[in-house]
Amino acid sequence: MSKNKSSESVKVVVRCRPLNRKEESNGPAGTIIQMDLRLGQVILRNPRAPSSEPQKTFTFDAVYDANSKQRDLYDESVRPLIDSVLDGFNGTIFAYGQTGTGKTYTMQGAWLDPEKRGVIPNAFDHIFTHISRSQSDRQYLVRASYLEIYLEEVRDLLDPNHGSARALELRESPDSGVYVRDLTSCVCKSIKEIEEVMNVGNQARAVGATDMNEHSSRSHALFLITVECSQPGPDGRKHIRVGRLNLVDLAGSERQAKTGVQGERLKEAAKINLSLSALGNVISALADGRSGHVPYRDSKLTRLLQDSLGGNAKTVMVATLGPSSQHYDETLTTLRYANRAKNIQNQPRVNEDPKDALLREFQMEIARLRAQLNHRKWRSKQKKDGQEDGESWERDGDEGTEGEDEGEEVEKEAEEYVKLEEQRLERETEAIRGDQFLLAEEKQRLLGEKERMMGVLRKEQEATEQLTAKYKAMESKLLVGGKNIIDHTNEQQKMLEMKRQEIADQSRSEREIQQQVLVQDEETVELRETFTSLQQEVEAKTKKLKKLYAKLQCIKAEIQDVNDEHVRSRQELEQTQNELTRELKFKYLIIENFIPPEEKNKIMNRLTFDTEEDQWKFQPLVPAESKSSQMKKRPASAVGYKRPISQYARVAIAMGANSRYRAENIMFLELDMTPPNTTSLDRSGEAESNQSHSVDSSPTKDRGVRKSRSWCQTPTSMASSSSNVSLSACQTAAAMAAQ
Ligand code: ADP
Ligand code: MG
């Protein structure tokens, strides 16, 4: 089956729920589904067809009938996947089927009854039991998130203001694929904590919906668990593997009637099915294998499951069926859908040392805090001993390899030091109080001094306590193999679990072999047979012909069915298209008749396409940076100055002259009484023109400067004023200073 050595197909299992009371009372029509557990086959009977019509048979990786236990499904079909996640693979389990067929029952089940706990609580047990039984050189970090997609909006179910919160955005990174930005993620240290997370999310889901049943059949719920595991590798360094598990309870797959809906309702109806129909399209495109383009971007759900379908993940799909004859069409659709999904090939690989591993960040933060604590300890020790103790600091500073009791030891040392110091200060204070030879003022001063020292000491103690608390909180988030969680199961139970798992493995492989035998039987074996007599050959070939004829009929019927379905979905799409076209025309009509063209153009010019979000957006009227004030900023003139500035002012600034003129264009000209001297003037002009380049060379500056210069320094216009001399002297000095 596999295309290359690392690819594996999506596992598809089918589960049928028992008849419910209402269906039982409906009459003896009975079930339309038969299951062959040994072969993994579902046989579907069409209640409306004549009995001569052949029944439809589908083969899956496993099938579970009405009598199946939650535990069976978990041990056989889910356990291997969770084991892979613990080894650092991505894993996805999703339940697909019509509303009321047992998706939520399969995924969550009845929490209080151990027999009826679904995939999710069993996975919690599995993950934390695994951690408690693993070796102590492994460190784990388990995180959980919970979100739902409702009407094509991603909502965080763990956000306290879930109801009013904005819809979240999807982002893509080369490291972790598609993810949800700003999604709450809770670090969980035990089964109890992760169950709490689940409960909080479920409550948010229930509160957000007026009619829970209605809501749950229209929203997709995704529970995400990330398990990070750090383990020393053969090279002696710690390697981190990250497994991500998606547990998905999809919306009901039944067709929502679209006939006769308009406007908002139409939009809603289109959105309800958008994710599911996009999922269908993605599965078809992947199963087909020929079409290069897979429309992942058509919906939020398919984007989030991009890795799970045809990417880096191991995936199990549980298709749920109802046995009642009323829902024949839906059941058939579900089975076809599931049958198609079997052909999807994934390329799972271990996520080793990804850049965004949180565990690494945690480890580094813990090391940093430990180093800080050790530093404090060293300081206390140094003070206590009253002498240098560099050696001990060097040893203590070597974090990372020391035992876990280090934190406590450090804390004890620090406490001891503080106690001693406090006692000493108190003693000294008492001594000062009791000293009769001291002057009252002197006494007061000394007491004040001691008081201050006590204050410093207390502050330091508080800081140490805070640091220790932070360190402990940080460290407690990491689970150490076989330490933080105690495994309460006894040996007997462990043995039982193992045996159960062995049985599950065996039955799985048995089924696989049976299925292979069946396929071979049909294809090759008879061809190689040799016949002793003609009669025998005729018999054998007639039998084969009959078999093949029946198969042909089945396939013909199948083709007919698929065609019918195709026509039906096409009609539906055409209808939706008609509705949308009508609406579009209506909007165009409004635009053309009621909106002035220049307004329309303004709006059109503001439109931009956001490729990340895949939709058109309005650009804000005011540029983002000046959102707070509608006023535009005054353009700056010379670089680095608040406003246009004259050369004189610059020189004055450089000279450190009267600050009043530093940023102004006002010139302060002193009255010079000496007679005018033309030669010196000429020279100063020359010098000045040379300097102008050295002082500022940028063209904008030059322009601004020349302007002011022409007013104050043109020799002809100011010839009579000798103040030019002093100005040019100023400039010469400034140029020298600048050099
Ligand atoms: P869905 O989530 O697909 O809409 P539910 O999980 O809510 O359906 O199931 C509908 C009802 O059927 C529930 O009352 C549930 O207890 C029951 N049910 C579903 N599957 C089973 C099963 N395998 N065994 C017993 N009861 C089941
Ligand atoms: Mg449900």
Side-chain angles (χ1 to χ4, degrees), residues 641 646-657 687-688 690-696 713 725-739:
Y641 293 98
S646 71
Q647 178 71 11
Y648 178 82
R650 272 189 219 202
V651 173
I653 292 167
M655 300 260 306
E688 200 250 310
N690 287 342
Q691 284 150 18
S692 73
H693 287 284
S694 66
V695 173
D696 48 43
Q713 283 157 22
V725 180
S726 70
L727 183 69
S728 61
C730 274
Q731 282 164 345
T732 322
M736 274 163 67
Q739 277 163 12

Side-chain angles (χ1 to χ4, degrees), residues 278-289:
L279 183 66
N281 295 340
V282 165
I283 289 179
S284 297
L286 285 167
D288 188 17

Side-chain angles (χ1 to χ4, degrees), residues 99-100 103-105 205 213 216-217 249-250:
T99 302
K103 294 184 298 297
T104 308
Y105 181 83
R205 221 180 155 198
N213 223 350
S216 88
S217 64
D249 185 1
L250 290 180

Side-chain angles (χ1 to χ4, degrees), residues 623 626 629-634:
S626 58
S629 65
Q630 297 268 321
M631 284 262 289
K632 283 225 158 138
K633 257 194 182 168
R634 198 159 121 178

Side-chain angles (χ1 to χ4, degrees), residues 590-600 603:
I590 294 179
I591 291 172
E592 266 161 35
N593 291 296
F594 295 98
I595 300 181
E598 65 269 24
E599 289 301 320
K600 190 186 108 184
I603 294 171

Side-chain angles (χ1 to χ4, degrees), residues 15-18 66 68 97-106 213 216 249 320:
R15 185 181 204 187
C16 181
R17 70 159 165 76
S68 63
Q98 197 190 345
T99 302
T101 50
K103 294 184 298 297
T104 308
Y105 181 83
T106 301
N213 223 350
S216 88
D249 185 1
T320 56

